[in-house]
Amino acid sequence: MNNAIWRLNSAYLAGYTEDAEVMRKIRRSYPDFTESATYQKNGVIYARQYRIPSARKRSARHLFGVPLS
Protein backbone atom coordinates (compact mmCIF):
# COMPACT_ATOMS: atom_id res chain seq x y z
CA MET A 1 0.00 0.00 0.00
CA ASN A 2 1.15 3.53 -0.71
CA ASN A 3 1.42 5.95 2.17
CA ALA A 4 3.07 9.38 2.22
CA ILE A 5 3.34 12.39 4.53
CA TRP A 6 4.57 15.86 3.54
CA ARG A 7 4.48 19.38 4.96
CA LEU A 8 1.80 21.79 3.68
CA ASN A 9 2.88 24.77 5.80
CA SER A 10 4.15 25.41 9.31
CA ALA A 11 0.80 24.48 10.88
CA TYR A 12 -0.24 21.41 8.85
CA LEU A 13 0.99 18.23 7.23
CA ALA A 14 -0.70 16.26 4.47
CA GLY A 15 -1.06 12.50 4.60
CA TYR A 16 -1.98 10.20 1.70
CA THR A 17 -2.97 6.57 2.10
CA GLU A 18 -4.34 3.75 -0.01
CA ASP A 19 -4.45 1.40 3.01
CA ALA A 20 -8.02 0.67 4.13
CA GLU A 21 -6.85 -0.23 7.66
CA VAL A 22 -5.16 3.17 8.09
CA MET A 23 -8.35 4.89 6.86
CA ARG A 24 -10.39 2.94 9.45
CA LYS A 25 -7.99 3.87 12.26
CA ILE A 26 -8.14 7.56 11.30
CA ARG A 27 -11.95 7.54 11.18
CA ARG A 28 -12.14 5.77 14.55
CA SER A 29 -9.36 7.40 16.59
CA TYR A 30 -8.07 10.61 14.97
CA PRO A 31 -10.86 13.22 14.76
CA ASP A 32 -8.34 16.03 14.20
CA PHE A 33 -7.09 14.43 10.93
CA THR A 34 -9.49 16.07 8.47
CA GLU A 35 -10.14 14.57 5.06
CA SER A 36 -9.11 16.94 2.28
CA ALA A 37 -9.43 14.73 -0.83
CA THR A 38 -10.62 11.33 -2.03
CA TYR A 39 -9.32 9.44 -5.04
CA GLN A 40 -11.69 7.25 -7.04
CA LYS A 41 -11.57 4.73 -9.88
CA ASN A 42 -14.88 3.77 -11.47
CA GLY A 43 -16.80 5.30 -8.55
CA VAL A 44 -14.90 3.35 -5.86
CA ILE A 45 -12.71 5.24 -3.39
CA TYR A 46 -9.21 3.74 -3.34
CA ALA A 47 -7.27 6.47 -1.48
CA ARG A 48 -7.75 9.45 0.81
CA GLN A 49 -5.71 12.52 1.64
CA TYR A 50 -5.81 14.08 5.11
CA ARG A 51 -4.81 17.42 6.64
CA ILE A 52 -2.93 16.76 9.89
CA PRO A 53 -1.93 19.32 12.56
CA SER A 54 1.87 19.63 12.81
CA ALA A 55 1.66 18.91 16.54
CA ARG A 56 0.54 15.36 15.63
CA LYS A 57 3.57 14.66 13.40
CA ARG A 58 4.82 11.81 15.56
CA SER A 59 1.41 10.10 15.57
CA ALA A 60 1.11 10.51 11.81
CA ARG A 61 4.57 9.03 11.15
CA HIS A 62 3.70 6.03 13.32
CA LEU A 63 0.23 5.53 11.81
CA PHE A 64 1.28 5.90 8.17
CA GLY A 65 4.55 4.00 8.70
CA VAL A 66 6.65 6.42 6.63
CA PRO A 67 9.04 9.30 7.40
CA LEU A 68 8.11 12.91 6.68
CA SER A 69 8.96 13.75 3.05
Side-chain angles (χ1 to χ4, degrees):
M1 297 292 162
N2 287 335
N3 291 333
I5 301 172
W6 64 94
R7 183 164 300 285
L8 290 174
N9 55 39
S10 62
Y12 290 100
L13 306 170
Y16 171 88
T17 185
E18 294 178 357
D19 188 346
E21 185 61 31
V22 172
M23 290 183 225
R24 273 190 226 99
K25 287 180 182 179
I26 290 171
R27 187 174 52 242
R28 181 177 58 236
S29 303
Y30 296 88
D32 54 341
F33 288 23
T34 57
E35 188 177 291
S36 59
T38 58
Y39 299 87
Q40 299 180 11
K41 277 187 189 169
N42 300 323
V44 178
I45 295 174
Y46 71 92
R48 295 180 194 267
Q49 183 175 324
Y50 297 93
R51 190 175 73 162
I52 304 164
S54 287
R56 300 292 305 265
K57 178 171 70 172
R58 185 175 180 192
S59 297
R61 284 192 341 233
H62 178 73
L63 179 65
F64 285 79
V66 295
L68 184 64
S69 299

